[in-house]
Amino acid sequence: MKLFLDTADISEITDLNRTGMVDGITTNPSLIAKSGRNIIQTIEEICAIVSGPVSAEVTATDYDGMMQEGRKLANISSNVTVKLPLTEDGLRACASLSADDIMVNVTLCFSAAQALLAAKAGASFISPFVGRLDDICSDGMNLISEIAEIYANYDFSTEILVASVRSVQDVVDAAIIGADVATIPPKILSQMFKHPLTDKGLADFMTDWKTTGQSIL
Ligand code: G3P
């Protein structure tokens, strides 16, 4: 399973990229706003750090505007994935950009029907938002299972990119289903390394080791 970081924060990306666990990055207009920085410069800097796919989202909502913005974003670097909203214009732009070999991540997916259309439009990635579905008492992870089944039925190559992840358990559940990617906030990737029994076990080993008076080097 690939793990992407869902952030536009350069210092968090730099830090966590050193772990070797970061396969790509996703950003959105809210994350760019939170960074307080210029989108073009930020995407350029992220692409210089991470070699995997880096999603940069258009802000136009009409086909022509999405095409113009999408091409500009794709020109930043060969690993930019243009992020388009799951609307009629968005899927039309998805088909056009994908036909030009530009990777597209279709975002704001909340139903299996939407995911089916995105795959038919040639999306490289579909981003179902599990946390926002859970927020309204729906079952986000059930949507991932439905999409996985539909894509397998027809051998679609669109990758399922689980988004709006709120916990380590979400990542585990997505992995059990077999989702291709989870995009996760930096804090959750850091939490994935941790277990209280690891900390306790290590502390006990170090205490016992001290009693030997030995040194490996
Ligand atoms: O990148 C889109 C997605 O991951 C947003 O997550 O937490 O704002 O629902 P959230």
Side-chain angles (χ1 to χ4, degrees):
M1 183 193 216
K2 286 174 271 192
L3 296 177
F4 289 2
L5 280 183
D6 197 26
T7 182
D9 186 310
I10 300 290
S11 75
E12 285 179 324
I13 292 169
T14 306
D15 278 358
L16 284 166
N17 192 46
R18 291 192 189 110
T19 65
M21 297 294 164
V22 177
D23 301 300
I25 303 291
T26 52
T27 66
N28 61 38
S30 304
L31 292 170
I32 295 290
K34 191 174 162 200
S35 78
R37 304 196 52 231
N38 173 274
I39 181 170
I40 304 294
Q41 231 182 336
T42 304
I43 298 297
E44 260 170 17
E45 287 177 31
I46 296 173
C47 289
I49 301 167
V50 175
S51 56
V54 173
S55 289
E57 188 160 341
V58 301
T59 54
T61 53
D62 64 299
Y63 172 79
D64 290 330
M66 287 186 204
M67 289 300 292
Q68 279 180 335
E69 290 186 4
R71 288 194 194 287
K72 180 168 178 179
L73 293 169
N75 272 337
I76 296 174
S77 174
S78 58
N79 57 328
V80 165
T81 302
V82 175
K83 212 170 171 189
L84 299 170
L86 209 155
T87 60
E88 283 189 31
D89 281 39
L91 291 191
R92 199 179 142 208
C94 172
S96 301
L97 292 172
S98 300
D100 283 351
D101 283 331
I102 293 173
M103 284 189 296
V104 173
N105 173 2
V106 175
T107 189
L108 291 167
C109 171
F110 294 95
S111 77
Q114 289 180 316
L116 172 60
L117 295 180
K120 284 172 69 66
S124 299
F125 300 98
I126 182 69
S127 289
F129 279 30
V130 293
R132 292 192 195 183
L133 280 169
D134 292 345
D135 289 347
I136 58 159
C137 294
S138 191
D139 184 347
M141 224 34 86
N142 183 53
L143 173 59
I144 303 304
S145 299
E146 287 180 352
I147 299 171
E149 196 175 336
I150 291 167
Y151 282 11
N153 285 346
Y154 298 97
D155 221 9
F156 283 124
S157 57
T158 303
E159 294 189 47
I160 303 173
L161 195 169
V162 179
S164 188
V165 164
R166 300 280 161 76
S167 68
V168 170
Q169 193 57 46
D170 280 344
V171 182
V172 172
D173 291 342
I176 289 169
I177 293 167
D180 302 283
V181 192
T183 188
I184 59 183
K187 198 176 85 182
I188 291 176
L189 179 56
S190 299
Q191 286 170 357
M192 286 175 72
F193 286 90
K194 300 200 165 76
H195 193 285
L197 290 179
T198 305
D199 296 340
K200 186 185 175 312
L202 186 58
D204 291 347
F205 284 156
M206 293 305 102
T207 304
D208 293 343
W209 179 246
K210 267 193 199 129
T211 67
T212 70
Q214 297 182 49
S215 156
I216 292 174
L217 294 180

